[in-house]
Amino acid sequence: MQYALLIYEDEAIYGPDKAGPAMEEIVSCHMAFNRELGSARIGGAGLKGTVSATTIRTKNGAKSVHDGPYAEAKEQLGGFYLIEAPDLDAAIAIARKVPVLQDGAIEIGPLLGGA
Amino acid sequence: MSADLLAAAVRQAGGRIVAALAARYRDLDLAEEAFAEACARAAGAWSREEPPRDAAAWLYRTAERCALDWLRRRQVRQRLRPDPPPPTPTVEDEMSDDASLIPDERLRLIFVCCHPAVAPEARAALTLRLVCGLSTLEIAEAFLLTEATLAQRLVRAKRKIAEAGVPFEIPGPDAWPERLEAVLSTIEIAYSKAHEDAAGAGPHAAYAEEMLGATRVLAELLPREPEVLALAATVRYAEARRPARLDDGGVMVPLAEQDPRFFDRARIAEAEAYLHQAARLNPAGPRALHAAIHSAWCARCSLEEPAPWPAVLRLYDALLTLGDDPVVRLNRAVALNEVMGAAAALAEIEALNGAGLAAFRPYHAVRAALLTKVGRKVEARDAYRRLLALAPPSAERLWLEKCLATLEH
């Protein structure tokens, strides 16, 4: 099956431009994790800070463009992986290894049609 | 006659059949529906013809055939190449009884139902439905939910299992501690619901029986896991005291006043065997300590014998060294009251204020009894009234009303 691993962390720890020493540390962790994933990795990316995010909302058929992320929360979507795993337990085992610097959460979602 | 035979076979082997089908086809709905179809066919066939010698084996074979038919039709629809047809049963198959015919996949199914990715409130219900074979109505009554709510919860849980790709496997050794814990706490939650009602007359009555069965199965399947054995012991000790938990007027009898002459000695012997084995493997596990507390109460032969409070207090002390738990502290305070006096116990209880026990009836019950004992009658009355407002089962309500009445004079 195919799963998305959505990474939620408090982006404040990475500094205003996601460029501080914490960022260097997490990037090298992700590079090591990527190597470990090998062929189980279908895709993935890190996102710039939510200050650069733009949201398009649809309401009653009308679309409007807004500054900022979809949801204001203590932890923000900071990146994602798409992986191939035989079942949920295998996906959980991989998700446990996704580097997270401090507190955070990894949401595991099976992809539609990814059986 | 054939209806009785069918009902008995469903009770006795239903869980095992559904588990075997689910493990084989990795599809809970398919397993349930195929089994239901087999039962429907049995109801017709067994009244027309001679019922089979081995009803469970007949049901399993028929359900298997239904499942395969459906799968093949589904695969044809999806333009997939169908699997080779199932082997026709050999003469030996036909002769063999269900014990060897139906593979025992119940443990696998228990792990699926109690997967941490399944909503905690659905795990016990799903286990009771699929592994123990209880009807949705029976489970709904046990959990005090409407049948529609419970059914919806089951549908959602089964959908989650299918769509998220929960594997139909017994987890590997690294995942074992977390996964087994989820299984055991599911059974504990289910049993505490059954145990809560001293009368055993309420909706939970039949259900305690199921918990005896579920823990026996688990202990049979995992005879080297001390926590599993200890839980099987605890359920049996608790059930052994059931005849002593009510007086003639249907009023709940507190633990220390339960007359040991009414204890079910055969049940206690079973419990002792499980606890003995558990303690040999790990005497200091949390569930082994809990079972040891039950064992101390069940070891009493008459009310003349002193209650085992000092031993119980030591066991709760040992439990606290494993981890801080407000419910353990609460129970320890009851023993502390008997050993060190009510003032010391009350101080412990007051320290628990705000530990999320506001809706937990035992908290208010212990507090009310201690307040009574130290002579703070107004607060005690308040605590009893608050308790009665939490809708206790009738046996407990009668007892609380009695306690409240003594305060009113």
Side-chain angles (χ1 to χ4, degrees):
Chain A
M1 290 184 61
Q2 295 177 344
Y3 296 88
L5 309 181
L6 308 180
I7 306 167
Y8 292 89
E9 281 182 286
D10 180 359
E11 64 184 8
I13 62 174
Y14 297 116
D17 309 315
K18 285 200 174 179
M23 199 59 201
E24 275 172 38
E25 188 184 342
I26 196 78
V27 166
S28 75
C29 291
H30 276 290
M31 281 162 68
F33 176 66
N34 266 311
R35 279 193 295 277
E36 195 185 331
L37 267 182
S39 62
R41 182 182 187 279
I42 305 167
L47 304 185
K48 290 182 179 174
T50 51
V51 286
S52 60
T54 304
T55 302
I56 301 172
R57 287 179 179 272
T58 303
K59 195 160 190 186
N60 300 327
K63 292 181 193 293
S64 55
V65 181
H66 299 269
D67 170 46
Y70 162 62
E72 294 288 352
K74 205 163 79 50
E75 284 154 347
Q76 302 81 23
L77 179 64
F80 65 92
Y81 283 95
L82 297 178
I83 60 161
E84 177 78 50
D87 56 46
L88 181 63
D89 280 353
I92 289 173
I94 292 172
R96 272 185 202 281
K97 294 187 198 161
V98 171
V100 171
L101 214 52
Q102 289 176 16
D103 296 346
I106 310 293
E107 183 178 323
I108 306 170
L111 300 194
L112 269 174
Chain B
M1 188 60 217
S2 67
D4 290 349
L5 180 69
L6 177 58
V10 168
R11 257 284 177 240
Q12 193 216 326
R16 190 162 165 163
I17 294 172
V18 172
L21 295 167
R24 173 141 175 211
Y25 301 110
R26 283 152 208 266
D27 187 328
L28 297 177
D29 283 328
L30 183 74
E32 268 193 297
E33 281 161 25
F35 182 61
E37 175 65 25
C39 291
R41 288 189 195 177
W46 299 359
S47 57
R48 285 193 305 271
E49 310 146 23
E50 179 87 347
R53 191 176 56 82
D54 189 331
W58 191 99
L59 286 171
Y60 177 60
R61 274 199 213 97
T62 307
E64 208 180 24
R65 229 167 289 141
C66 295
L68 277 167
D69 281 349
W70 288 334
L71 271 182
R72 229 173 281 134
R73 250 176 276 156
R74 204 190 282 174
Q75 280 171 334
V76 169
R77 256 208 315 270
Q78 292 171 350
R79 290 162 201 275
L80 292 171
R81 213 173 40 171
D83 279 346
T88 357
T90 63
V91 179
E92 289 77 19
D93 283 343
E94 296 285 359
M95 300 286 289
S96 68
D97 60 13
D98 67 300
S100 51
L101 173 75
I102 311 168
D104 195 348
E105 301 287 7
R106 284 172 296 178
L107 183 63
R108 230 205 268 203
L109 195 56
I110 289 172
F111 271 105
V112 172
C113 294
C114 300
H115 194 283
V118 176
E121 70 273 12
R123 290 177 201 160
L126 201 56
T127 307
L128 289 171
R129 174 77 199 101
L130 293 171
V131 184
C132 301
L134 268 68
S135 72
T136 47
L137 182 63
E138 284 173 299
I139 303 166
E141 285 178 347
F143 285 93
L144 309 177
L145 295 167
T146 65
E147 195 180 0
T149 307
L150 193 270
Q152 196 184 30
R153 207 176 266 189
L154 291 176
V155 166
R156 217 177 290 144
K158 282 190 283 185
R159 210 169 139 187
K160 169 72 188 276
I161 288 168
E163 292 190 351
V166 170
F168 281 74
E169 301 299 337
I170 292 169
D174 46 329
W176 194 248
E178 182 189 6
R179 297 291 304 278
L180 185 60
E181 189 50 43
V183 170
L184 293 176
S185 59
T186 297
I187 292 180
E188 264 168 356
I189 291 164
Y191 180 69
S192 69
K193 282 190 180 290
H195 185 66
E196 202 178 50
D197 183 3
H204 311 283
Y207 179 77
E209 200 61 40
E210 295 300 336
M211 289 301 108
L212 289 167
T215 50
R216 190 193 59 242
V217 169
L218 210 56
E220 264 168 33
L221 299 168
L222 300 168
R224 307 286 309 159
E225 286 293 334
E227 292 290 88
V228 169
L229 300 167
L231 182 59
T234 295
V235 170
R236 278 157 184 78
Y237 284 127
E239 281 304 298
R241 285 190 293 98
R242 195 181 282 280
R245 290 175 67 202
L246 276 192
D247 72 8
D248 296 336
V251 183
M252 181 192 101
V253 180
L255 185 53
E257 290 160 35
Q258 290 171 11
D259 191 337
R261 286 176 308 166
F262 300 134
F263 291 176
D264 180 342
R265 295 287 151 191
R267 204 52 105 208
I268 293 174
E270 268 176 48
E272 289 292 323
Y274 280 124
L275 178 58
H276 180 74
Q277 188 65 11
R280 225 170 44 85
L281 294 161
N282 178 17
R287 290 186 179 84
L289 291 170
H290 270 294
I293 292 168
H294 280 277
S295 169
W297 286 107
C298 287
R300 250 177 140 193
C301 293
S302 75
L303 284 172
E304 281 72 57
E305 235 174 81
W309 290 117
V312 168
L313 182 59
R314 277 195 301 279
L315 288 163
Y316 278 121
D317 282 338
L319 267 172
L320 274 185
T321 64
L322 298 179
D324 202 354
D325 177 340
V327 177
V328 172
R329 282 194 176 276
L330 180 68
N331 287 318
R332 182 180 169 277
V334 178
L336 195 67
N337 163 46
E338 300 291 338
V339 179
M340 307 278 286
L346 199 55
E348 282 281 311
I349 292 288
E350 300 296 352
L352 285 176
N353 199 3
L357 299 178
F360 191 55
R361 287 200 313 273
Y363 169 73
H364 296 289
V366 172
R367 190 163 167 274
L370 292 174
L371 287 169
T372 306
K373 211 172 158 190
V374 298
R376 286 158 64 179
K377 289 192 173 182
V378 179
E379 289 161 276
R381 270 200 290 268
D382 255 16
Y384 278 120
R385 291 205 186 99
R386 203 171 313 164
L387 249 167
L388 286 164
L390 289 171
S394 74
E396 190 181 328
R397 182 173 47 78
L398 291 171
W399 180 66
L400 293 170
E401 284 167 355
K402 226 166 91 178
C403 296
L404 186 57
T406 61
L407 276 168
E408 260 147 22
H409 297 302

